[in-house]
Amino acid sequence: MAHTEHASMRRVLRREVAGIIGLLADERDFTAMKGYRSFTFHDHDTYLQQVESLLQSLAAQGGHTSVALFDPDEYAEFCADEGLEPDTPTSRTRFTAALAGTGITVPYEGQPLADLLPDLVDEAVRQATWEYASSVLARIGTCGACGQDIGRDAFARASHLLTRVLDTAGTGTHHLVCSIPTDAETLLSVLHVDTRTEGTAHLDEREALELTTVLALGIATRSPGGLVLRTTAPDKDDRVQGWRLRDERLLPLTAAEVFDAYCTDAQSGDLVAPESGVDYCAAPDLGDTGPEGHHTH
């Protein structure tokens, strides 16, 4: 009787334990790990199938499991820093545990692994984008003419511009995309805002921080970026508007410019058919006001 009771208690406690799985999401990372003799998987597809079965099994037991991207390069650095032998399951477990506190994780909620993977990759890209933009803003330093912190002033200006965009957006569900070109690649940041009643906006604060940081990077580096706003409201066609970033301003695009941007293939330059049920509209002028003391040099 006591043995049965203890086993039952352990099953209850097991449901209280949160787990994390480090996932090799793509073939290249999987191939890199095959260089370790203790890593016994040989086929990436089979590996993914086994991971999905494990996730399903853990969920069936009532446990909570998160999935993180397992990066072989970061793993090698972790082992070097911690003085660990990388070719052991124990070291891989320790690295995966560390990801719970520092890495990007997505909770497993019974969805197919094929649906979870894109979310996990998107989260990793978002985090990398924000970290890159933040680090550049922090390194820019002060203006030689006025001594103001360029990155801080750019962030304040970007916050003001985002507020102005949302003030003019009206009611509905809003999808904002900010794009800022850099030497390496174009940074993209997305923000979803639900404004069901005038003046009341519901948004994800982390998304807002990320988009503001990316926009601030464009302002601080004088990059020719832009912002697109798509609004969905009941019983209405979707409305698409846009602004181009010039210096510290978001200048409104005309309806024709928005149409051209949406209906042109970004890679080939070929025209594509416009979406049905979408109005391509001129954006409102956001004005030239800003936070007092914003940087203008």
Side-chain angles (χ1 to χ4, degrees):
M1 178 69 71
H3 175 75
T4 302
E5 183 179 349
H6 290 165
S8 177
M9 292 174 63
R10 284 194 294 272
R11 283 194 297 270
V12 171
L13 284 174
R14 192 176 295 117
R15 291 196 294 268
E16 303 289 331
V17 176
I20 181 169
I21 291 177
L23 180 67
L24 296 161
D26 61 43
E27 187 78 37
R28 185 182 63 178
D29 288 345
F30 179 82
T31 300
M33 292 304 295
K34 285 170 62 177
Y36 298 113
R37 298 182 64 181
S38 61
F39 186 80
T40 56
F41 287 96
H42 302 290
D43 176 78
H44 190 229
D45 289 338
T46 301
Y47 163 81
L48 292 177
Q49 292 169 4
Q50 292 299 315
V51 169
E52 184 163 30
S53 296
L54 176 59
L55 288 169
Q56 293 170 347
S57 174
L58 293 171
Q61 298 172 23
H64 174 81
T65 307
S66 295
V67 181
L69 285 179
F70 193 107
D71 185 290
D73 293 333
E74 292 181 1
Y75 172 63
E77 293 176 4
F78 174 83
C79 290
D81 292 341
E82 298 293 324
L84 300 175
E85 165 55 52
D87 199 358
T88 67
T90 301
S91 296
R92 290 194 289 274
T93 301
R94 288 186 57 176
F95 175 69
T96 301
L99 292 176
T102 61
I104 297 298
T105 63
V106 170
Y108 177 71
E109 298 173 332
Q111 69 270 49
L113 193 59
D115 294 339
L116 185 147
L117 273 174
D119 292 341
L120 185 59
V121 173
D122 286 347
E123 283 293 311
V125 171
R126 285 178 53 187
Q127 180 70 14
T129 298
W130 176 76
E131 289 178 352
Y132 172 80
S134 298
S135 65
V136 173
L137 288 174
R139 292 197 307 266
I140 289 178
T142 58
C143 173
C146 66
Q148 292 181 347
D149 187 296
I150 296 174
R152 184 182 299 114
D153 288 343
F155 189 88
R157 178 64 175 169
S159 298
H160 167 76
L161 290 173
L162 178 57
T163 300
R164 289 289 299 129
V165 169
L166 296 179
D167 286 343
T168 63
T171 59
T173 301
H174 308 297
H175 178 81
L176 295 94
V177 179
C178 180
S179 59
I180 300 296
T182 69
D183 292 339
E185 59 183 334
T186 297
L187 301 183
L188 294 174
S189 185
V190 177
L191 172 63
H192 299 88
V193 183
D194 186 3
T195 309
R196 297 180 182 177
T197 57
E198 198 72 37
T200 304
H202 300 275
L203 52 80
D204 185 306
E205 292 186 359
R206 190 183 70 163
E207 283 188 358
L209 173 62
E210 291 166 355
L211 188 141
T212 303
T213 303
V214 170
L215 181 57
L217 176 66
I219 293 171
T221 59
R222 306 281 176 164
S223 297
L227 183 71
V228 173
L229 167 66
R230 181 166 182 155
T231 300
T232 301
D235 303 321
K236 294 181 181 179
D237 288 344
D238 282 10
R239 187 175 72 251
V240 178
Q241 304 170 86
W243 295 262
R244 65 167 57 89
L245 179 63
R246 290 294 181 270
D247 297 327
E248 295 193 345
R249 298 184 62 195
L250 284 175
L251 303 179
L253 298 177
T254 66
E257 289 173 323
V258 175
F259 180 89
D260 288 343
Y262 252 73
C263 300
T264 302
D265 186 274
Q267 294 183 339
S268 67
D270 295 335
L271 293 178
V272 296
E275 292 184 63
S276 62
V278 175
D279 287 337
Y280 303 94
C281 309
D285 191 331
L286 302 178
D288 197 26
T289 61
E292 184 176 351
H294 73 273
H295 190 257
T296 57
H297 295 289

